[in-house]
Amino acid sequence: MRRGRRNAAALAAIGALVIGAVAPTGAAAAAAPVATAAVTPPPADHSPAVLVSKMTGPKSLSATDTRWRVTGTDLGIMWDNGHGEILTAFGDTFGDWGGPGGGGGDWRSNVLLRSTDTDLSDGMSFDSAVEDAPGHAGELIPSLKVSGVEMTTIPTAGIAVGERQYMAFMSVRQWGPPGEWDTNFSRIAYSDDNGETWNSTDGPEWTNTADGQHPFQMVAFERHDGYVYMFGTPNGRLGAAHVARVPEAQMLDKAAYSYWNGSSWVVGDDTAAVAIVPPNVAELSVQYSEHTGGWLMTYLDENLDIVLRTAPSPEGPWSERQRLASFADYPGLYGGYIHPWSEGGDLYFALSQWDPYNVYLMRAEIDENGTVVNPNLIQNGGFERAADDTMPTPWACTGNCGIDDNHSWAHGGSKQGWMRSNTGWIDIHQDVAVEPNTTYTLTGFVVTGGTPAPGSIGVRDLGAGAVTIAEASFEAVGAYTRYEVTFHSGDRTEVQAFVGTDLNGDRWVQVDDLSLVKAKEQVPGLSVAVSSDPTAGSEVVRDDVVRYTVTASTDSAASEQVDLAVDLAGLVDDATLDAASLSSSHGSPVLDGSTLRWAGAIPAGETLTVTFAATVRRDASRTDSVLTVTTSATGERAILTSCDGCELTLTAVHYDPRPPRPEFPDMPGKPEKPGKPGAV
């Protein structure tokens, strides 16, 4: 269902690993990062989920603000229409959003967008909308928009059965204090034209009780074993979860619904329903998972966190909560609706934020038991925990940087990190604990301004003069752009994640929503080393023979295809290569102009060795005087973890084999000054 990841890695001359086809700036490797203390442990309310992309509003992947006038909206209830599309219904939507929160002009109580995007790893894009005019998403289900009567109609669930689409919505009578509102009823609307038009009046309805505690005012749907299960809560965010079910073919027959009373299913009596999950359960979403062989439930709890519970059956028992996203990292979060195409341990869900009033695609990973695993290792990746405009720990700066609090400048939430200056290298960085011999992916969103200049996002070793392990480069980035860097930790237990730029004028960079997680595809590490005799940094003279050795190995349990390229251009301008000296422990090296190449499989547990020699020429000291060999390496699967000595230099100096001329004493009587004796 998802596109394959590109596995090749390339090593630049300075030993910096570059992901994809982006060239390195080299600035990060040259910079001396600020020394830092031991890696700070994550806070107790750390968010394991990562932000993948913005789904709605300005800076969203599909630019919904300009394409369909969806500038501010919330929720994001998703279901599979049965024909290769995901239908996504949003709540109160504004074309002229006046935030924070819901409000503004061009108000529609609900809209619907469609997506065929099967690769969620880089975000969720939309292809079309239900429009009431070209370029304008139309309201699906009308509302009176009169507080105390009917303020709005908000979708809460959707499901497809056969060719028909069903969507549950709540009729909100009035908004109350934060987290509280009153509903008139919940009802099921249906569409037979893929959501273009809806019958919102004839479907089954669950009228709210006088005390406002009817258990099915906000519902979630899931199909399984011939039934549609309907999970429900009362209006607001303070109630418990309940469950009902109905045969698929009878969704519009209210009398056919059965309600779980704690021991059996009771037909036709919604008062029999008992709580299956205690309060507070808000905006719940439920999915049957093939990956776990059980049920998943996400919702907003009393701590205002998005949490996950699991169960072997719809009625339970439901597990204890696991946090997916924290209010501290995503202030004003709510929603948490599961994407139906989540599979193989990837749990994608739509998260809403009150400021900005938009929806984001999030990703968490669960194992076969439904346990959240492989959390985001970056702390405070969206900078929302910052108490003021200074960079909060564990983030640190090289140069001038800080925090802005303005949702119009941020990618997610209302805060983002910035760096700005005129000359030299500047960056934002964080030390991160990692596991050795593990593949990771670093992701972040970057936008730049001012004088264009090279910059990069990546990871490097810790300490002054640290070498860059992997990076992706940028220069002029006019809108928030997602960058992704995949690297292998090698023997490291800590790395430093960074975003930085090399300045040559008034230049600024803004960065937001960073994450570092274990890659889904774990691949081998590739280590390369280059040495010489005499050793690197030595001085050589004419007629000296320099012998080079290149070694390469992987930590794979199987043989791995590897390509080596040794650039000899900086060597053969000062020395003569001995073609007869070319040899390798496996396969055969090939001389391609001034590049020595080796390609083939390195057997598991073995080391490839490539050797060659060159003789320093008589004119070496009269040219650039530097003998340089630059090595790069790529693997079909393996990722380069280190390249010790991959730029190796020696210096040619002048050598005169003749003995030194003897020194002669001065002749006696030699005048102190030139000229005739007695001259003045």
Side-chain angles (χ1 to χ4, degrees):
M1 182 172 288
R2 296 178 176 81
R3 295 191 296 267
R5 182 179 66 80
R6 181 175 179 177
N7 293 326
L11 189 74
I14 59 171
L17 180 65
V18 187
I19 303 304
V22 185
T25 65
V34 176
T36 55
V39 174
T40 305
D45 58 351
H46 178 66
S47 299
V50 301
L51 192 155
V52 182
S53 71
K54 192 174 187 182
M55 294 172 64
T56 64
K59 301 185 282 283
S60 63
L61 194 61
S62 299
T64 66
D65 55 329
T66 57
R67 289 180 69 185
W68 301 297
R69 297 285 292 164
V70 179
T71 302
T73 191
D74 68 354
L75 303 184
I77 293 94
M78 298 175 281
W79 71 95
D80 187 332
N81 73 349
H83 295 283
E85 283 185 317
I86 294 294
L87 305 188
T88 306
F90 297 95
D92 286 316
T93 298
F94 302 90
D96 301 308
W97 177 61
D106 189 17
W107 174 25
R108 289 142 286 169
S109 286
N110 41 77
V111 297
L112 187 144
L113 305 182
R114 304 183 184 93
S115 173
T116 57
D117 193 344
T118 60
D119 182 6
L120 303 178
S121 64
D122 58 358
M124 180 180 179
S125 61
F126 294 104
D127 307 303
S128 66
V130 175
E131 298 178 320
D132 57 6
H136 188 268
E139 186 173 80
L140 311 173
I141 299 171
S143 64
L144 297 178
K145 298 180 174 60
V146 178
S147 182
V149 182
E150 183 182 66
M151 188 63 182
T152 189
T153 49
I154 304 293
T156 66
I159 199 79
V161 179
E163 297 300 312
R164 177 166 284 176
Q165 310 298 320
Y166 297 90
M167 184 169 66
F169 67 96
M170 60 177 171
S171 169
V172 177
R173 184 166 66 251
Q174 59 194 6
W175 299 113
E180 299 182 33
W181 58 86
D182 299 318
T183 56
N184 297 305
F185 56 82
S186 67
R187 185 184 294 160
I188 297 177
Y190 59 94
S191 170
D192 293 324
D193 55 9
N194 199 31
E196 282 293 318
T197 59
W198 292 86
N199 183 327
S200 60
T201 58
D202 298 338
E205 176 180 302
W206 287 262
T207 303
N208 205 356
T209 54
D211 61 0
Q213 293 301 306
H214 190 277
F216 292 96
Q217 293 302 288
M218 300 176 64
V219 303
F221 291 143
E222 178 63 316
R223 288 176 59 188
H224 189 62
D225 289 342
Y227 289 95
V228 172
Y229 287 86
M230 183 174 75
F231 300 81
T233 66
N235 49 210
R237 293 176 172 162
L238 306 178
H242 307 73
V243 64
R245 72 181 186 184
V246 64
E248 291 180 358
Q250 296 177 274
M251 275 201 71
L252 297 180
D253 181 2
K254 186 181 177 183
Y257 283 74
S258 301
Y259 303 86
W260 181 251
N261 71 356
S263 59
S264 62
W265 296 96
V266 178
V267 179
D269 183 7
D270 55 15
T271 64
V274 300
I276 58 171
V277 175
N280 295 354
V281 181
E283 293 128 21
L284 79 167
S285 178
V286 182
Q287 181 189 70
Y288 177 78
S289 170
E290 296 288 349
H291 179 66
T292 66
W295 294 73
L296 310 175
M297 176 188 291
T298 59
Y299 63 90
L300 184 73
D301 73 355
E302 65 269 21
N303 298 318
L304 301 181
D305 293 338
I306 301 296
V307 297
L308 169 70
R309 289 183 188 259
T310 63
S313 64
E315 60 272 23
W318 288 89
S319 70
E320 293 300 315
R321 290 171 289 177
Q322 301 178 75
R323 181 184 295 106
L324 295 175
S326 165
F327 185 89
D329 289 318
Y330 303 96
L333 85 174
Y334 59 106
Y337 293 94
I338 301 173
H339 193 294
W341 292 347
S342 297
E343 61 177 13
D346 285 326
L347 183 65
Y348 289 95
F349 59 96
L351 177 143
S352 298
Q353 276 194 282
W354 189 246
D355 185 19
Y357 187 61
N358 283 128
V359 183
Y360 297 82
L361 183 69
M362 307 289 292
R363 174 189 171 271
E365 188 174 342
I366 57 174
D367 64 17
E368 293 180 353
N369 297 316
T371 302
V372 177
V373 295
N374 297 341
N376 182 8
L377 300 179
I378 294 285
Q379 299 181 46
N380 195 14
F383 305 96
E384 300 295 334
R385 295 176 185 258
D388 52 31
D389 60 358
T390 60
M391 188 61 62
T393 57
W395 288 107
C397 302
T398 302
N400 182 42
C401 76
I403 300 295
D404 276 323
D405 189 353
N406 186 325
H407 65 242
S408 65
W409 295 345
H411 175 262
S414 61
K415 297 178 182 178
Q416 95 287 332
W418 60 265
M419 64 196 85
R420 184 172 186 175
S421 192
N422 292 86
T423 58
W425 174 260
I426 186 170
D427 69 41
I428 298 170
H429 57 266
Q430 182 179 137
D431 295 350
V432 183
V434 295
E435 298 176 17
N437 304 313
T438 304
T439 312
Y440 290 92
T441 298
L442 171 70
T443 303
F445 293 83
V446 175
V447 64
T448 70
T451 304
S456 57
I457 175 174
V459 290
R460 61 194 176 203
D461 287 325
L462 275 58
V467 172
T468 298
I469 304 165
E471 65 179 0
S473 299
F474 56 82
E475 188 163 327
V477 186
Y480 270 109
T481 300
R482 182 178 186 270
Y483 289 89
E484 183 175 289
V485 178
T486 298
F487 68 98
H488 193 285
S489 59
D491 60 358
R492 302 171 181 88
T493 58
E494 294 178 349
V495 297
Q496 190 170 88
F498 71 90
V499 181
T501 187
D502 208 4
L503 306 166
N504 58 8
D506 187 14
R507 154 86 155 182
W508 61 93
V509 176
Q510 294 168 315
V511 58
D512 207 354
D513 296 317
L514 289 101
S515 64
L516 194 157
V517 296
K518 287 183 182 179
K520 286 289 291 181
E521 182 185 0
Q522 289 294 306
V523 298
L526 168 63
S527 298
V528 178
V530 185
S531 62
S532 65
D533 180 17
T535 59
S538 298
E539 292 182 344
V540 293
V541 298
R542 71 184 194 189
D543 298 329
D544 277 353
V545 176
V546 183
R547 303 184 188 280
Y548 293 89
T549 302
V550 181
T551 60
S553 61
T554 74
D555 59 4
S556 175
S559 63
E560 295 293 338
Q561 288 292 133
V562 171
D563 291 306
L564 289 175
V566 186
D567 185 353
L568 305 177
L571 172 67
V572 296
D573 60 347
D574 297 302
T576 301
L577 182 67
D578 180 4
S581 69
L582 301 179
S583 66
S584 58
S585 59
H586 300 85
S588 300
V590 176
L591 191 59
D592 178 13
S594 61
T595 301
L596 179 63
R597 302 186 185 278
W598 185 94
I602 300 178
E606 297 189 24
T607 298
L608 167 70
T609 301
V610 178
T611 59
F612 58 95
T615 302
V616 181
R617 291 202 305 269
R618 295 175 63 89
D619 62 348
S621 62
R622 297 191 182 96
T623 56
D624 65 6
S625 304
V626 178
L627 284 66
T628 302
V629 169
T630 304
T631 303
S632 61
T634 61
E636 184 176 1
R637 285 195 327 129
I639 292 179
L640 195 63
T641 62
S642 64
C643 197
D644 186 20
C646 277
E647 184 183 65
L648 190 152
T649 61
L650 297 94
T651 302
V653 297
H654 177 70
Y655 168 61
D656 190 343
R658 294 175 299 177
R661 298 176 64 183
E663 298 213 1
F664 297 96
D666 289 339
M667 296 293 292
K670 182 179 180 181
E672 294 180 1
K673 295 182 180 180
K676 296 180 179 180
V680 178

